[in-house]
Amino acid sequence: MKKMATRNINNIVYRPPDTDSDEDYDGFYFGDELASRPKQYFTIKDEEEELRNAVYGDDLMSVKENISKLNFDVNSPLKGGYTLLMHACREGFYEIVEYLVLEKKANVNKQVDSITPLMQACDCKSKSSFVVDKICNLLLQHGAVINVSDKCGTTPFMLACKNGHTNIVRIMIKDVSFDTTDNRGCTPIFYAVENNHGEIVKILIDAGVNYSKPNGKGYTPKQVAQFHGFYDLLEFFPIEKEDGYIVPTQFLTYSTYHDYIPRVFLRSECPEYFQEVYKILLSINMERYLEYFAKERVPLSTFLCLDDKGLEKLGIQFPLSRMKILKGLLDFHLHNWRKKSLSRLNKFSKDNFYEVLLITAYHLKRLIIINSSLRFVRRHLEENLLGPVEKEHIQIMLRRLEDYQLTIKALRNTITYLASFSPDKNPLYIDYNEYLAERKRSRIKWYFKYTTIAIGISVFICSKFKRFF
C-alpha cells in the first residue's frame, strides 16, 4: 500500500504554466504520457509564393513558368494583395508589365481596393522617369482610364503631379479636369506645390488651372507654397490684377419684372437673361470667367452661340478653358427636353396675374434659347463640325418644335380668354392726350366768355356816352 501511494504521488502532474485560463486551477490530472507528448506544427504551403517572389525579383522567365504551371489568371489578385500587373507597375518592372499587357492581355483597368494599375505606375517606386514614362504610355495606349479616383479621391494625374512625372502630366493634361478634388479638397496643383515640382506647377498654370481655389482647410496653392518656404514657386503664379471690378448683384439673380421680361419692358439694368449665363458657367465650374462676359454685357442669345474666336476676343486666353466652356455650351444645346416639362396655363386655372406673367416670361426665354440653338446647329452643320446628321434626328427636332408651337398657341389663346374679363381701360387709367385737349377747350371757353363780357361792357359804355356827342 505504501508503494502504491508513492507511485500515485509521483504520477501527479499539475496544470501546465502556459494555459490560457485566467482562473486559478485547483485540480490535477494523471499520466506522464499526455504531458510528454511532443507538440505538432502544421504548415500550409503557399502555391503563389514562388510567383510572388518572381515578380518582386523582376524575374520574367520565372514569372512565365509559374503562370503556366499554376494556370494562373493574370487578372486575379494574389492572396492578400494586388494583381501581377499592379505589382509590376508599382515596382517599375517594365518587361513584366509589357509581357502581361501584350501577351497575357491583362486588364489595365482592373481595380483592387479602388486602386488601378495606372495609379500604381504614377506612384511607382522606380527612380527612373524614363521607365515610369514607358509603363504609363503602355497603359494609356491600351485604354487605361485617366479620370478615375481611389477611395480617398486621388487620381492618377494627382499622383503624377505629386511624383514629378513631367512627361506624363503633359500627356494627361488634355483629358483631365483641373477642378477635381480629393477628400482633403486638394486639386492636382496642390500635389505639385506640396512636393516642390516647379516645372509641373508652371505647366498647370499655363494650361489655365484655377490657382485661386482653396483646399478643404481654406488655403490656396500660393499660400501652401509660402507656408512650406517654396518661394521659387511663387514666380509661376500670375500677379493679380486688381482692377476693382465686381460683377453686379443684379447680374446674378432675377430681381425685377425687367429681368424676367427684358424685351417687353426694354429697361433692364443687366444684359438680357444674363442670370442664365451665370448658371451655365456655374454648372461647369467656370464661374471665375463670369466677369469677362459681364464687362462686355454679353446677353444669353449671344453667349449660347459663341465660338473659340469669340471667347478669345473676350479675353479668355487659355485654350483648355475655352474648350471647357464650348463643351458646356454643346451639352446645353443637346440637353433633352420634353413637352411635359413646359409650363402651361388652362382656362380653368386660378393663377393670378403674377403667375401668368412668370409663365409667359418663361416661354419668351425658352423661345430665345430655341432660336440660339437653331443658329448654333446651323453654323456647326455648315462648318461640318457635328458630322453627318441622320433624318431621324431632324424629325425628332421638328416634332419637338411643333409641340412647342402648339404650347405657345395654347398659351396665347388662354391669355386672350383671360383678357376678355378685363375692362377696356384700367379704372385708374389717365389719357394724357385727352387731358391736354380738355385743358385747351377750357382755355378757349375762358377766352370766349371774358371776351364776350368785355365786348358787352364796351357796347354799353358806347351807348351811354353816344348822346353827349
Side-chain angles (χ1 to χ4, degrees), residues 202-380:
K202 186 177 185 304
I203 292 172
L204 293 174
I205 292 178
D206 290 344
V209 68
N210 185 2
Y211 52 84
S212 62
K213 184 176 182 178
N215 59 14
K217 293 185 177 180
Y219 297 103
T220 63
K222 191 173 183 179
Q223 292 172 330
V224 173
Q226 292 172 334
F227 176 80
H228 288 292
F230 300 147
Y231 299 110
D232 293 341
L233 300 182
L234 300 180
E235 300 177 359
F236 301 118
F237 291 90
I239 299 175
E240 298 290 341
K241 295 181 180 180
E242 298 182 358
D243 56 1
Y245 180 81
I246 300 176
V247 179
T249 307
Q250 61 267 27
F251 282 28
L252 307 179
T253 58
Y254 292 100
S255 55
T256 65
Y257 284 120
H258 307 86
D259 298 329
Y260 283 109
I261 318 179
R263 294 198 177 188
V264 174
F265 290 100
L266 301 176
R267 288 192 301 108
S268 179
E269 296 181 2
C270 68
E272 186 179 66
Y273 299 117
F274 191 84
Q275 296 83 354
E276 300 300 321
V277 176
Y278 171 61
K279 291 179 182 178
I280 294 173
L281 291 175
L282 191 65
S283 66
I284 57 177
N285 296 319
M286 299 297 285
E287 65 274 12
R288 63 183 179 276
Y289 291 104
L290 182 65
E291 63 177 277
Y292 293 90
F293 303 97
K295 288 179 180 178
E296 299 297 328
R297 300 182 67 84
V298 178
L300 177 63
S301 57
T302 303
F303 174 77
L304 292 177
C305 295
L306 283 172
D307 55 10
D308 187 72
K309 292 181 180 179
L311 292 174
E312 187 177 8
K313 188 176 180 180
L314 288 172
I316 302 176
Q317 301 176 356
F318 303 118
L320 286 175
S321 299
R322 298 199 300 268
M323 182 180 67
K324 189 172 181 180
I325 293 175
L326 291 175
K327 184 180 181 301
L329 291 178
L330 179 61
D331 292 339
F332 180 84
H333 287 299
L334 296 179
H335 179 69
N336 188 15
W337 56 272
R338 297 183 179 277
K339 185 178 179 181
K340 293 182 180 179
S341 65
L342 301 175
S343 300
R344 295 170 180 240
L345 281 175
N346 60 72
K347 294 182 179 180
F348 305 102
S349 63
K350 297 182 180 180
D351 299 321
N352 56 33
F353 173 76
Y354 176 75
E355 293 169 341
V356 173
L357 184 64
L358 291 185
I359 292 175
T360 306
Y362 164 81
H363 285 289
L364 290 174
K365 179 178 68 176
R366 176 58 58 184
L367 287 172
I368 292 174
I369 293 174
I370 291 176
N371 184 35
S372 301
S373 296
L374 291 174
R375 288 165 51 201
F376 178 89
V377 171
R378 179 180 177 180
R379 189 185 78 233
H380 280 67

Side-chain angles (χ1 to χ4, degrees), residues 50-75:
E50 292 183 9
L51 179 57
R52 186 183 298 107
N53 293 336
V55 174
Y56 281 113
D58 194 15
D59 188 350
L60 179 58
M61 294 301 298
S62 182
V63 168
K64 292 180 179 180
E65 292 174 359
N66 281 277
I67 289 177
S68 177
K69 181 175 67 175
L70 298 174
N71 194 20
F72 188 78
D73 182 6
V74 293
N75 291 321

Side-chain angles (χ1 to χ4, degrees), residues 381-444:
L381 286 176
E382 290 175 349
E383 298 176 3
N384 198 23
L385 298 176
L386 295 178
V389 179
E390 298 180 1
K391 291 184 179 180
E392 182 181 356
H393 295 159
I394 299 295
Q395 292 174 355
I396 292 174
M397 184 177 67
L398 289 175
R399 283 200 299 269
R400 289 177 181 168
L401 291 176
E402 289 173 358
D403 290 341
Y404 195 73
Q405 188 177 13
L406 293 175
T407 303
I408 294 297
K409 184 177 180 180
L411 176 67
R412 183 180 59 194
N413 293 338
T414 304
I415 292 178
T416 303
Y417 174 78
L418 294 175
S420 64
F421 295 96
S422 302
D424 294 336
K425 292 183 179 180
N426 191 305
L428 300 179
Y429 174 77
I430 298 175
D431 190 342
Y432 287 98
N433 294 327
E434 181 65 25
Y435 174 73
L436 293 175
E438 182 63 29
R439 286 186 61 182
K440 188 175 181 180
R441 287 194 294 269
S442 298
R443 286 181 181 178
I444 292 174

